[in-house]
Each structure stands twice: as structure tokens, then as C-alpha cells.
Amino acid sequence: VKVRLVGDSYRGDDREREAVRRLVADSDLAGSVSVEDGVTDVAAIYRELDLVVIPSIMLDSFPTVALEAMSAGKPVVGYAAGGLPEMLGLDADCLAPVADWRALAELIQRFVADEEFRLSKAHQQHRRYLENFTVDQYRVRIREALRPILPVAALERGESR
């Protein structure tokens, strides 16, 4: 198993990022764990991954990392925090209680050990992305929301006034 910690830290979290970097360097994890900042080709990263783990306990209402992974057909696991449960459809097979690292580790272990399960969840989440989170789906939902207050003809022409 290879672990890639990808992306920049939140503003003010640089100390924690450096502490993780030192922990990896000072342990026997250096051959298995990489800490990568300043990634520009995100699509290339997703192509290489088998699983995306979102261990954040921050209350991110719309975790774009999960959305990107789902659109790339990669399964997502993480804590049941912020918008992740809604994005994943409250799927208990993919969500651990907030800050329960043992439960998250068990989820990760299952996804790593069971390829058929992992691929099934990847397919399920990708389908959920296509049904709920594409630009076309947003357009449909916005039109539905605006229909009661805007003339139908304006909506059909794509006008907002």
C-alpha cells in the first residue's frame, strides 16, 4: 500500500503539515508515504489512485475532493462530517464516525483488501455523481427551483430575467 498526501494545507495549518512531513521522514514510512504540495495535474493523480480517503473533521459543506474522485470513478471513504455524508448518499460502508480513526482505518482496510467491493463502490459513487452533481444536473435543478418565480419561456431560452 502506498499513501499519497496530496494538496496544500489550509492557511494556518502549515505547522501540522510540516509535523507530518517530519514524522514520515523520521520513521520507516518514507518508502510508503509521500507528502505532495503544489500538485497541478489533479487528473493524473486520480488516475493513479485506487481509493480516496477524506480524513477531514472540518465541516466542509461541499467537499470538492470527493466530487472530483467520484467523477473520476474512484471510491471515497472518510469521516461523516460536513457535506460528505450527503454527497456519498449516507453510505455507511464509506463513512466513519467523526474523529474515530480506528473505524476509518477499518474502512480503508476493507477497501484495500476487497477489490470487488472497492470497484462496486467506485461504480456506485460514480453513478451518484452522474445523477446528482454534473453541470447538466445543476441546470435542471436550478430551472426546477426557478420555475415558480420566472416565466417558463425565459427558462426555456436560458434567460434569468
Side-chain angles (χ1 to χ4, degrees), residues 16-160:
E16 287 84 2
R17 183 86 166 178
E18 286 309 309
V20 169
R21 212 182 284 284
R22 280 191 306 278
L23 177 68
V24 170
D26 295 344
S27 69
D28 60 350
L29 298 173
S32 300
V33 177
S34 63
V35 181
E36 304 171 36
D37 298 321
V39 173
T40 56
D41 190 354
V42 176
I45 297 289
Y46 284 115
R47 282 192 297 273
E48 296 175 11
L49 301 179
D50 294 318
L51 176 65
V52 174
V53 179
I54 303 177
S56 178
I57 58 173
M58 305 277 292
L59 297 179
D60 184 351
S61 62
F62 195 78
T64 54
V65 170
L67 190 67
E68 292 167 350
M70 292 166 67
S71 74
K74 302 301 177 174
V76 176
V77 299
Y79 289 128
L84 190 59
E86 182 180 357
M87 194 170 279
L88 297 181
L90 301 173
D91 188 344
D93 289 335
C94 302
L95 297 166
V98 175
D100 185 343
W101 63 266
R102 286 183 176 92
L104 183 59
E106 288 173 11
L107 284 177
I108 294 167
Q109 195 169 34
R110 181 173 185 195
F111 275 78
V112 170
D114 189 341
E115 181 179 21
E116 185 177 334
F117 175 76
R118 183 177 67 246
L119 294 175
S120 170
K121 287 298 177 181
H123 177 74
Q124 178 184 340
Q125 290 177 7
H126 183 69
R127 189 175 58 245
R128 182 163 173 77
Y129 162 79
L130 293 174
E131 293 170 356
N132 296 284
F133 299 109
T134 64
V135 172
D136 288 340
Q137 287 300 324
Y138 279 113
R139 285 185 184 129
V140 167
R141 288 192 173 89
I142 288 171
R143 282 191 180 112
E144 289 171 0
L146 294 177
R147 190 169 307 283
I149 59 173
L150 292 178
V152 174
L155 286 173
E156 289 172 357
R157 289 191 307 269
E159 297 174 10
S160 60

